[in-house]
Amino acid sequence: MAKANEASAMEIDDTKSNNSDQISPKFSINVLQLLKSAQMQHGLRHGDYTRYRRYCTARLRRLYKSLKFTHGRGKYSRKAITESTVTEVRYLHMVLYTAERAWSHAMEKRQLPDGPNAHQRIYLIGRLRKAVKWATLFSNLCAIKGDSRTSLEAEAYASYMKGNLLFEKDQNWDTALKNFKNARAVYEELGKYGDLENQVLCRERVEELEPSIRYCLHKIGASNVQTSELLQIGEMEGPALDLFKAKLEAVMAEARSQQAASLTEFHWLGHRFPISNAKTRVAILKAQELEKDLHGPAADSLPSEKKLVIFDKIFTAYHEARSCIRSDLVSAGNAENVKDDLNGLDKAVSAVLGQRTIERNQLLVSIAKSKLTRRRDDKNEKITKPEELVRLYDLLLQNTADLADLVSSGRDRKPEEVAFAEECELKSLAFQAERCFYLAKSYSLAGKRAEAYALYTRTRHLVENALQKFKSWNSDQQQVIVNELTALHKESRSNICIEHANGIMELEKAPEKLSKNISTMSLDGAGKKVEKYLLEKLDVYESAVGDSNKGVPRIEAFPPAFQSIPRNPIVLDLAYNCIEFPSLENRMKKDRKGFISRLWR
């Protein structure tokens, strides 16, 4: 009996040990870090959702093949992923990338040029619903098969996807807010632990979720967020903000379409051009709103990079307006009055576009000037050379010439157009002086004192001529340009003196420098590699001792190399062995021998 009890006890212990061995280990996935790395490496750094969707598809195909989890051959037979199916971490990856593929497909439809139409929006919402389904499955599986951190991240990911779906459907803002807040709370908590990279990623995701939360509060009415604040939030970057930006852009487009109803005319230099096309009105209104940001009271506090982005948006809006105008011209037919109005409107929009191009190039000039004398910092920032400023001023001269030609083209010109053309000519004089000054600076840095002296003198004459003409010009920008030209006149005058002094000093040191350079000349260069010897460049007018960057000049290679010389030809009788001579046996003398002579041999 005792032996039986001991045997039963041993069996119980064995079954307990077998059960403990059969407990599967918990899988660990750093969800946010995995997704962020995949998104940044495969398209989302530049907002390319198509490329990211293709990557997710290829990744899923590799996972299916490696796990041998294919859905039949020929006929599709769906295999469900359950708790018992997940035997390794790649099954969880498969569910996660399926959710990412559906989400990226929805975002791809959201970023269509004209926005999704009704049918495409239904498809978009369907893909988001599919992403929510797979994200929820991923969260449930991680709660069973994953460790505590993985389960928490999966729950935050599922809450984020649910919030995106409700955000796009414009429904249940309370539920969307709750999901976004749940995701934010999880990432805030995870940001306190782990390595530094993980903490940074969690904080970035919290910042990306904040605009969506504030927008939900705005829609509920529980926040006093103004539209301008929402626009500032929309300027943030990140894949999690793309849906918020699309929603904000749709709201702003709807507001512009309502305001565009009151915009019936476009005023330009005393002209009034009617605007009949609604798309043209919306595009012009969008450009004018962006121009207020550049010329408003807060324009001075804007950084230069942000101003350049605003200029790009303005150019896009005006180009869209011009394309609408030209399409109206094609469909106008033989209506001369309508054609005249559309041609005038196209001319006015083109002139405004030219003005903004000049302003953008002037901003680039100011950025280049600030970097001209700056030394390299820790970020290895590129230093501006004077040649780049010369190129920018060439662009400004071309822009002012094109704008003046555009305004001057016409029969009945108003006084405002004449004044504007004169203003363009005056600005071109100032740009010519600035261009000549930086051209002289480039010659000065190259060590060409005579050319730099002549160009600085030419700059001073151009500035004096421009200042005389600017005195008769009455404008708000007159004093600013006059101050710039006055400072340029003083700087060019001081540079003239500097170049003159440097030229005299170099002239005094020229004989000493020449003798020193000649003393360093050698016959062959002592085995050093030389591009070309002096005796090989006798037909090229180039100083051999004036430029220290070329190294020590070499006269000729010594000892001289072997040269081929002519000699007497060597005659080889190669044909002798190939000649077949005739037989001479019949002409040779033969000895006659008898019988007796044969015996005595």
Side-chain angles (χ1 to χ4, degrees):
M1 188 69 181
K3 290 182 178 180
N5 291 335
E6 289 178 3
S8 62
M10 290 175 63
E11 289 176 359
I12 291 171
D13 291 339
D14 289 340
T15 55
K16 287 182 178 180
S17 63
N18 290 335
N19 290 333
S20 62
D21 291 340
Q22 289 176 1
I23 295 175
S24 60
K26 296 290 186 179
F27 300 121
S28 177
I29 305 175
N30 197 336
V31 180
L32 184 59
Q33 190 171 359
L34 176 67
L35 293 181
K36 201 74 173 179
S37 175
Q39 289 172 359
M40 291 299 103
Q41 293 179 12
H42 299 93
L44 291 200
R45 186 185 297 274
H46 309 290
D48 190 356
Y49 285 95
T50 304
R51 180 184 167 193
Y52 182 61
R53 177 175 62 84
R54 290 171 180 168
Y55 163 74
C56 292
T57 304
R59 176 68 175 153
L60 284 171
R61 188 183 300 115
R62 291 194 297 270
L63 287 170
Y64 285 142
K65 290 186 69 175
S66 62
L67 292 170
K68 297 181 180 179
F69 195 76
T70 55
H71 301 284
R73 180 175 295 178
K75 184 179 179 182
Y76 177 80
S77 58
R78 184 174 175 273
K79 288 185 178 181
I81 300 177
T82 59
E83 176 188 350
S84 59
T85 309
V86 181
T87 56
E88 57 176 299
V89 72
R90 286 184 293 174
Y91 285 98
L92 296 178
H93 285 185
M94 193 162 55
V95 179
L96 178 61
Y97 279 109
T98 307
E100 281 290 291
R101 180 176 63 176
W103 171 77
S104 59
H105 201 176
M107 297 303 297
E108 180 186 351
K109 295 297 181 183
R110 167 53 72 185
Q111 285 195 332
L112 291 173
D114 296 331
N117 53 30
H119 178 72
Q120 291 169 342
R121 191 168 184 276
I122 293 172
Y123 184 77
L124 185 153
I125 293 174
R127 297 309 298 173
L128 283 177
R129 193 177 289 114
K130 183 78 73 174
V132 170
K133 171 190 170 183
W134 286 101
T136 306
L137 177 61
F138 177 69
S139 177
N140 295 335
L141 291 175
C142 287
I144 301 171
K145 294 290 186 176
D147 57 8
S148 58
R149 180 187 176 87
T150 303
S151 175
L152 202 59
E153 278 199 74
E155 184 181 350
Y157 180 74
S159 299
Y160 169 67
M161 284 298 176
K162 292 175 185 176
N164 281 338
L165 175 61
L166 297 174
F167 195 90
E168 177 61 32
K169 292 172 70 175
D170 287 337
Q171 297 176 4
N172 300 329
W173 293 104
D174 295 330
T175 311
L177 178 63
K178 181 181 177 181
N179 283 295
F180 283 133
K181 282 187 174 181
N182 288 340
R184 183 182 66 177
V186 171
Y187 288 122
E188 283 178 349
E189 192 66 25
L190 291 175
K192 300 176 183 178
Y193 309 101
D195 56 356
L196 182 61
E197 183 181 0
N198 181 73
Q199 293 179 14
V200 171
L201 289 176
C202 290
R203 289 169 189 168
E204 287 179 356
R205 179 51 65 95
V206 169
E207 293 176 359
E208 291 173 357
L209 288 171
E210 192 65 31
S212 300
I213 293 173
R214 296 181 67 181
Y215 188 80
C216 291
L217 290 171
H218 175 70
K219 295 296 288 185
I220 294 171
S223 175
N224 295 324
V225 181
Q226 301 296 327
T227 306
S228 59
E229 296 181 14
L230 289 175
L231 290 174
Q232 292 177 0
I233 295 171
E235 293 169 358
M236 299 171 62
E237 297 294 334
L241 289 169
D242 289 338
L243 194 61
F244 171 75
K245 289 180 182 179
K247 182 68 66 177
L248 188 61
E249 184 63 29
V251 173
M252 295 302 297
E254 185 179 354
R256 286 193 199 102
S257 62
Q258 294 175 359
Q259 294 179 6
S262 60
L263 184 66
T264 58
E265 292 181 342
F266 185 75
H267 301 270
W268 176 74
L269 296 181
H271 293 279
R272 291 185 177 183
F273 301 104
I275 308 175
S276 57
N277 193 336
K279 291 184 178 180
T280 308
R281 292 177 185 174
V282 172
I284 292 175
L285 186 62
K286 180 180 179 181
Q288 290 176 349
E289 288 178 356
L290 293 168
E291 287 173 354
K292 291 178 183 178
D293 296 337
L294 288 176
H295 303 104
D300 296 334
S301 60
L302 288 175
S304 301
E305 291 78 9
K306 190 173 181 181
K307 288 183 179 180
L308 291 175
V309 172
I310 294 175
F311 271 118
D312 291 338
K313 293 180 180 178
I314 290 173
F315 295 155
T316 303
Y318 276 127
H319 281 302
E320 183 180 353
R322 289 188 66 190
S323 65
C324 294
I325 292 169
R326 293 185 176 181
S327 62
D328 291 341
L329 273 171
V330 174
S331 60
N334 296 325
E336 295 296 333
N337 295 332
V338 177
K339 280 189 173 181
D340 292 340
D341 292 337
L342 289 173
N343 283 323
L345 182 60
D346 184 45
K347 176 181 175 181
V349 172
S350 301
V352 175
L353 186 60
Q355 287 179 269
R356 300 299 168 259
T357 305
I358 292 174
E359 292 175 4
R360 196 275 305 267
N361 289 337
Q362 286 179 320
L363 177 61
L364 292 175
V365 166
S366 64
I367 295 172
K369 284 182 179 179
S370 65
K371 295 180 180 179
L372 184 63
T373 56
R374 188 185 302 173
R375 295 182 179 180
R376 291 187 183 272
D377 54 3
D378 296 336
K379 298 179 181 179
N380 293 326
E381 187 176 0
K382 185 179 178 182
I383 297 177
T384 303
K385 296 181 180 180
E387 290 83 355
E388 297 179 17
L389 280 163
V390 172
R391 181 184 61 81
L392 289 174
Y393 277 112
D394 283 334
L395 290 176
L396 283 169
L397 287 170
Q398 184 64 39
N399 293 334
T400 50
D402 293 342
L403 187 57
D405 292 341
L406 180 64
V407 174
S408 301
S409 62
R411 298 177 182 176
D412 300 329
R413 292 198 298 164
K414 292 193 174 184
E416 291 86 350
E417 293 180 273
V418 177
F420 187 80
E422 293 176 356
E423 179 183 346
C424 291
E425 293 178 0
L426 291 175
K427 285 184 178 181
S428 65
L429 291 176
F431 294 151
Q432 286 176 8
E434 295 273 2
R435 179 188 179 278
C436 189
F437 176 79
Y438 288 104
L439 187 61
K441 190 175 284 291
S442 65
Y443 274 100
S444 176
L445 293 175
K448 299 180 179 180
R449 306 298 175 191
E451 292 86 349
Y453 179 85
L455 287 170
Y456 280 129
T457 307
R458 173 66 177 165
T459 302
R460 191 176 69 174
H461 293 325
L462 289 173
V463 171
E464 291 173 354
N465 185 25
L467 284 173
Q468 288 179 358
K469 294 187 177 181
F470 268 101
K471 290 179 181 178
S472 59
W473 181 46
N474 296 322
S475 176
D476 298 335
Q477 301 177 355
Q478 179 186 10
Q479 192 60 38
V480 178
I481 298 177
V482 168
N483 293 336
E484 292 178 357
L485 289 175
T486 305
L488 183 64
H489 185 270
K490 293 179 181 179
E491 195 169 355
S492 61
R493 189 171 179 274
S494 63
N495 283 323
I496 287 171
C497 300
I498 292 171
E499 293 300 327
H500 193 190
N502 288 333
I504 293 174
M505 291 171 62
E506 290 181 0
L507 187 63
E508 292 293 331
K509 294 180 180 179
E512 180 183 354
K513 185 177 179 181
L514 182 63
S515 61
K516 182 180 178 180
N517 289 333
I518 290 177
S519 64
T520 59
M521 295 177 64
S522 64
L523 185 63
D524 62 340
K528 293 183 179 180
K529 185 179 180 180
V530 183
E531 293 183 0
K532 244 182 179 182
Y533 292 96
L534 295 181
L535 289 179
E536 297 176 0
K537 299 191 295 183
L538 295 178
D539 56 339
V540 179
Y541 182 76
E542 184 178 352
S543 175
V545 296
D547 194 354
S548 60
N549 297 326
K550 294 182 179 180
V552 180
R554 312 298 178 192
I555 300 174
E556 179 59 292
F558 188 82
F562 287 102
Q563 295 181 359
S564 59
I565 58 173
R567 57 157 295 168
N568 294 332
I570 299 174
V571 179
L572 299 175
D573 196 357
L574 301 177
Y576 179 79
N577 297 327
C578 299
I579 297 175
E580 295 182 1
F581 293 98
S583 178
L584 300 177
E585 292 181 358
N586 56 351
R587 299 178 61 181
M588 293 177 62
K589 186 178 179 182
K590 296 182 180 180
D591 295 335
R592 295 181 179 180
K593 296 180 180 181
F595 176 75
I596 298 175
S597 62
R598 293 179 183 175
L599 294 175
W600 293 100
R601 261 186 201 180

